[in-house]
Amino acid sequence: MSDTPPDADIAAMQRLAAGDDLALNSLMERWKNKVAAFLLRMTGNTASATDLTQETFVKLYQSRARYHPSAPFPTYLFRIAANLARNHARWRQRHPTVSIDNEDDHVPESAETQPGPDEQMVHSEQLQRVEAALAALPDDLREAMLLFTYQDMSYAEIAAAVGCTSKAVETRIYRARHILRSSLGGSQTD
């Protein structure tokens, strides 16, 4: 999940709790892009994802004294992010809006090689279909699938992050895969 040893995140949190506010910078540098990508996929909106990413690190800072390394740091961090995404989704349901922007919020793809225009178009269309199918999943299924697929978390880590059992996570991922296969015409989504 991160190129940094897990002990570095725990040490940074301990320094943060001891009053070294600069320790938050190292945590943000390591995790902000992963948290932002997760929140973008959860919310489907760049501005909301950016705001929620900042709020995630504010909450992390506020809870610095309560942090105990009983679970891996990413589990703790993504639990904060997932809770904020759920709260945001509930708020959006109660306060619907219509966007005046024509902005197409989707996750940018990263290409190691430059395929031809035809290949780029096909890949872009496939990516949009997958992103749309992911966005259409129920929140609990989408959350588990995103943490498993994009954050490479184990079932136990996801369970700790979202507050359920490992078996529930396994079921959610199974159901999400089944729905994705159906909506994408039987293509593989793993």
Side-chain angles (χ1 to χ4, degrees):
M1 290 196 353
S2 175
D3 297 334
T4 307
D7 295 343
D9 295 324
I10 293 170
M13 281 301 292
Q14 290 170 339
R15 287 194 333 266
L16 190 61
D20 180 7
D21 290 347
L22 294 177
L24 183 62
N25 291 344
S26 64
L27 290 169
M28 288 177 66
E29 283 178 29
R30 280 195 292 276
W31 291 101
K32 72 178 174 188
N33 291 337
K34 290 180 184 239
V35 170
F38 168 71
L39 290 168
L40 178 58
R41 286 186 171 94
M42 284 299 294
T43 63
N45 182 283
T46 304
S48 296
T50 301
D51 290 345
L52 291 173
T53 299
Q54 291 173 354
E55 193 172 342
T56 298
F57 287 102
V58 168
K59 295 279 187 196
L60 181 70
Y61 180 80
Q62 290 171 340
S63 68
R64 67 192 179 278
R66 293 187 306 271
Y67 175 74
H68 299 289
S70 58
F73 175 77
T75 301
Y76 185 75
L77 181 63
F78 282 98
R79 180 174 205 137
I80 294 171
N83 286 338
L84 289 171
R86 279 189 228 113
N87 291 344
H88 178 74
R90 281 192 292 272
W91 186 88
R92 297 276 299 169
Q93 283 180 333
R94 290 190 306 266
H95 303 89
T97 60
V98 176
S99 176
I100 59 173
D101 294 331
N102 230 354
E103 183 178 325
D104 186 20
D105 280 333
H106 70 285
V107 178
E109 55 186 288
S110 61
E112 294 179 13
T113 62
Q114 292 296 328
D118 291 343
E119 291 176 31
Q120 284 181 341
M121 185 178 75
V122 169
H123 182 70
S124 177
E125 288 172 356
Q126 288 173 340
L127 182 63
Q128 287 175 352
R129 285 184 60 222
V130 170
E131 291 293 335
L134 276 169
L137 288 173
D139 289 344
D140 59 337
L141 303 184
R142 183 174 65 244
E143 183 177 64
M145 193 68 179
L146 292 175
L147 290 172
F148 181 74
T149 304
Y150 294 104
Q151 301 306 323
D152 201 27
M153 292 176 102
S154 69
Y155 289 174
E157 290 170 329
I158 297 168
V162 301
C164 66
T165 65
S166 293
K167 188 64 178 173
V169 169
E170 183 180 352
T171 301
R172 289 175 185 182
I173 290 173
Y174 173 82
R175 289 179 53 214
R177 285 179 174 158
H178 180 73
I179 292 169
L180 289 171
R181 281 188 189 105
S182 296
S183 65
L184 295 172
S187 65
Q188 288 289 5
T189 58
D190 309 48

